[in-house]
Amino acid sequence: MKLNCNSRKCVISALSGVLLLFAVGATGLDAQVTATISGTVTDTSGAAVSGAKVDVKNTGTGIIQNTSTDAQGRYSVPELPVGDYQIQAVAAGFQNVVHTGITLTVGAQSVVDLSLPVGQSQQTVTVEGQVAQVETSSTSLST
């Protein structure tokens, strides 16, 4: 079978197709379809709790991602799929705290600070409510 095109026309068509595929692929890679949860874990006096275990659970899938707080009590869990989450913080000498009702949208960088009351770790304090959807760490706009 013989193609009916001159070589210049065929080359331009082929290059156009390759560029189109590259543009579509690059757009897909740049699209941010994840979100981040970060915050600080403190005791009731406001002092940082370092080494606290923080579990971030996607309530829709049941998938849990773990991290620990640093010396300043900070934690961050990046690249979370959009959805509904709950966060649990556990530290020796403190009651467990569970924060529910966290909804992540595309590109969100939600800040969820947790305050651990002194007590036995067998006791759990559950905080229910919506996390403010105010973007405090970036000026970007996402949809």
Side-chain angles (χ1 to χ4, degrees), residues 14-42:
L15 284 175
S16 296
V18 169
L19 289 174
L20 179 63
L21 286 174
F22 178 73
V24 169
T27 302
L29 293 175
D30 287 341
Q32 184 179 4
V33 294
T34 61
T36 299
I37 294 178
S38 61
T40 305
V41 178
T42 59

Short mmCIF file of all heavy atoms in Angstrom, two decimals, residues 14-42:
data_model
loop_
_atom_site.label_atom_id
_atom_site.label_comp_id
_atom_site.label_asym_id
_atom_site.label_seq_id
_atom_site.Cartn_x
_atom_site.Cartn_y
_atom_site.Cartn_z
N ALA A 14 3.41 13.95 11.04
CA ALA A 14 3.96 13.08 12.09
C ALA A 14 4.43 13.91 13.28
O ALA A 14 4.16 13.56 14.44
CB ALA A 14 5.10 12.24 11.53
N LEU A 15 5.12 15.01 13.01
CA LEU A 15 5.59 15.87 14.10
C LEU A 15 4.42 16.48 14.87
O LEU A 15 4.46 16.59 16.10
CB LEU A 15 6.50 16.98 13.56
CG LEU A 15 7.91 16.54 13.18
CD1 LEU A 15 8.67 17.70 12.55
CD2 LEU A 15 8.66 16.01 14.39
N SER A 16 3.39 16.88 14.15
CA SER A 16 2.20 17.43 14.82
C SER A 16 1.58 16.41 15.76
O SER A 16 1.18 16.73 16.88
CB SER A 16 1.17 17.88 13.79
OG SER A 16 1.68 18.93 13.00
N GLY A 17 1.49 15.17 15.31
CA GLY A 17 0.93 14.11 16.14
C GLY A 17 1.77 13.85 17.37
O GLY A 17 1.25 13.69 18.48
N VAL A 18 3.09 13.83 17.22
CA VAL A 18 3.98 13.61 18.35
C VAL A 18 3.88 14.77 19.34
O VAL A 18 3.80 14.56 20.55
CB VAL A 18 5.44 13.43 17.87
CG1 VAL A 18 6.41 13.47 19.03
CG2 VAL A 18 5.57 12.12 17.11
N LEU A 19 3.84 16.00 18.85
CA LEU A 19 3.72 17.16 19.73
C LEU A 19 2.39 17.15 20.47
O LEU A 19 2.33 17.49 21.65
CB LEU A 19 3.88 18.46 18.93
CG LEU A 19 5.29 18.75 18.43
CD1 LEU A 19 5.29 19.99 17.54
CD2 LEU A 19 6.26 18.91 19.57
N LEU A 20 1.33 16.74 19.80
CA LEU A 20 0.03 16.65 20.45
C LEU A 20 0.05 15.63 21.58
O LEU A 20 -0.43 15.88 22.68
CB LEU A 20 -1.06 16.30 19.43
CG LEU A 20 -2.47 16.15 19.98
CD1 LEU A 20 -2.95 17.47 20.56
CD2 LEU A 20 -3.41 15.67 18.89
N LEU A 21 0.63 14.46 21.31
CA LEU A 21 0.74 13.43 22.35
C LEU A 21 1.58 13.91 23.52
O LEU A 21 1.26 13.69 24.69
CB LEU A 21 1.34 12.14 21.77
CG LEU A 21 0.42 11.33 20.87
CD1 LEU A 21 1.18 10.16 20.25
CD2 LEU A 21 -0.78 10.82 21.66
N PHE A 22 2.68 14.61 23.22
CA PHE A 22 3.54 15.13 24.28
C PHE A 22 2.80 16.16 25.12
O PHE A 22 2.86 16.16 26.35
CB PHE A 22 4.80 15.76 23.68
CG PHE A 22 5.71 16.35 24.71
CD1 PHE A 22 6.46 15.53 25.54
CD2 PHE A 22 5.80 17.72 24.87
CE1 PHE A 22 7.29 16.07 26.50
CE2 PHE A 22 6.62 18.27 25.83
CZ PHE A 22 7.37 17.44 26.65
N ALA A 23 2.05 17.04 24.47
CA ALA A 23 1.30 18.08 25.19
C ALA A 23 0.25 17.46 26.09
O ALA A 23 0.07 17.87 27.25
CB ALA A 23 0.66 19.06 24.21
N VAL A 24 -0.46 16.48 25.61
CA VAL A 24 -1.49 15.81 26.41
C VAL A 24 -0.83 15.07 27.58
O VAL A 24 -1.30 15.15 28.71
CB VAL A 24 -2.32 14.84 25.54
CG1 VAL A 24 -3.20 13.96 26.41
CG2 VAL A 24 -3.15 15.63 24.55
N GLY A 25 0.26 14.40 27.33
CA GLY A 25 0.96 13.68 28.40
C GLY A 25 1.52 14.62 29.44
O GLY A 25 1.44 14.38 30.64
N ALA A 26 2.11 15.74 29.01
CA ALA A 26 2.68 16.70 29.95
C ALA A 26 1.60 17.35 30.79
O ALA A 26 1.77 17.58 31.98
CB ALA A 26 3.48 17.77 29.20
N THR A 27 0.45 17.63 30.20
CA THR A 27 -0.66 18.21 30.95
C THR A 27 -1.12 17.25 32.02
O THR A 27 -1.38 17.64 33.15
CB THR A 27 -1.82 18.55 30.01
OG1 THR A 27 -1.36 19.45 29.01
CG2 THR A 27 -2.98 19.17 30.76
N GLY A 28 -1.20 15.98 31.72
CA GLY A 28 -1.62 14.98 32.69
C GLY A 28 -0.65 14.86 33.84
O GLY A 28 -1.03 14.66 34.98
N LEU A 29 0.64 15.03 33.58
CA LEU A 29 1.63 14.93 34.63
C LEU A 29 1.60 16.15 35.54
O LEU A 29 1.87 16.05 36.73
CB LEU A 29 3.04 14.79 34.02
CG LEU A 29 3.31 13.49 33.28
CD1 LEU A 29 4.67 13.53 32.63
CD2 LEU A 29 3.19 12.29 34.20
N ASP A 30 1.29 17.31 34.98
CA ASP A 30 1.28 18.52 35.78
C ASP A 30 0.04 18.65 36.64
O ASP A 30 0.03 19.39 37.60
CB ASP A 30 1.39 19.75 34.87
CG ASP A 30 2.77 19.91 34.29
OD1 ASP A 30 3.73 19.33 34.82
OD2 ASP A 30 2.89 20.64 33.30
N ALA A 31 -1.02 17.95 36.28
CA ALA A 31 -2.28 18.07 37.02
C ALA A 31 -2.09 17.51 38.43
O ALA A 31 -1.66 16.39 38.61
CB ALA A 31 -3.38 17.31 36.30
N GLN A 32 -2.38 18.33 39.42
CA GLN A 32 -2.25 17.91 40.80
C GLN A 32 -3.59 17.37 41.27
O GLN A 32 -4.54 18.13 41.42
CB GLN A 32 -1.79 19.07 41.67
CG GLN A 32 -1.54 18.66 43.09
CD GLN A 32 -1.06 19.83 43.94
OE1 GLN A 32 -0.99 20.94 43.49
NE2 GLN A 32 -0.73 19.54 45.18
N VAL A 33 -3.66 16.08 41.50
CA VAL A 33 -4.90 15.46 41.94
C VAL A 33 -4.78 14.96 43.37
O VAL A 33 -5.50 14.07 43.79
CB VAL A 33 -5.33 14.31 40.99
CG1 VAL A 33 -5.68 14.86 39.63
CG2 VAL A 33 -4.24 13.26 40.90
N THR A 34 -3.84 15.53 44.10
CA THR A 34 -3.63 15.13 45.48
C THR A 34 -3.70 16.36 46.38
O THR A 34 -3.82 17.49 45.92
CB THR A 34 -2.26 14.44 45.65
OG1 THR A 34 -1.23 15.36 45.29
CG2 THR A 34 -2.16 13.19 44.80
N ALA A 35 -3.61 16.11 47.66
CA ALA A 35 -3.65 17.17 48.66
C ALA A 35 -2.69 16.82 49.79
O ALA A 35 -2.13 15.72 49.83
CB ALA A 35 -5.07 17.32 49.20
N THR A 36 -2.50 17.77 50.70
CA THR A 36 -1.58 17.59 51.82
C THR A 36 -2.28 17.96 53.12
O THR A 36 -3.04 18.93 53.17
CB THR A 36 -0.34 18.49 51.65
OG1 THR A 36 0.33 18.13 50.44
CG2 THR A 36 0.62 18.35 52.81
N ILE A 37 -2.00 17.17 54.16
CA ILE A 37 -2.43 17.53 55.51
C ILE A 37 -1.16 17.74 56.33
O ILE A 37 -0.26 16.89 56.31
CB ILE A 37 -3.29 16.44 56.17
CG1 ILE A 37 -4.63 16.29 55.44
CG2 ILE A 37 -3.54 16.78 57.64
CD1 ILE A 37 -5.51 15.18 56.01
N SER A 38 -1.10 18.85 57.03
CA SER A 38 0.03 19.12 57.93
C SER A 38 -0.50 19.83 59.15
O SER A 38 -1.64 20.27 59.19
CB SER A 38 1.09 19.95 57.22
OG SER A 38 0.55 21.20 56.83
N GLY A 39 0.35 19.95 60.15
CA GLY A 39 -0.06 20.64 61.36
C GLY A 39 0.95 20.46 62.47
O GLY A 39 2.07 20.01 62.24
N THR A 40 0.52 20.81 63.66
CA THR A 40 1.38 20.73 64.84
C THR A 40 0.63 19.98 65.94
O THR A 40 -0.58 20.17 66.11
CB THR A 40 1.72 22.15 65.34
OG1 THR A 40 2.31 22.87 64.26
CG2 THR A 40 2.71 22.10 66.48
N VAL A 41 1.34 19.15 66.66
CA VAL A 41 0.78 18.44 67.81
C VAL A 41 1.38 19.08 69.06
O VAL A 41 2.60 19.15 69.20
CB VAL A 41 1.08 16.93 67.76
CG1 VAL A 41 0.53 16.23 69.00
CG2 VAL A 41 0.50 16.31 66.49
N THR A 42 0.50 19.55 69.94
CA THR A 42 0.93 20.19 71.18
C THR A 42 0.19 19.57 72.36
O THR A 42 -0.79 18.85 72.18
CB THR A 42 0.62 21.71 71.15
OG1 THR A 42 -0.78 21.89 70.97
CG2 THR A 42 1.38 22.41 70.03
#
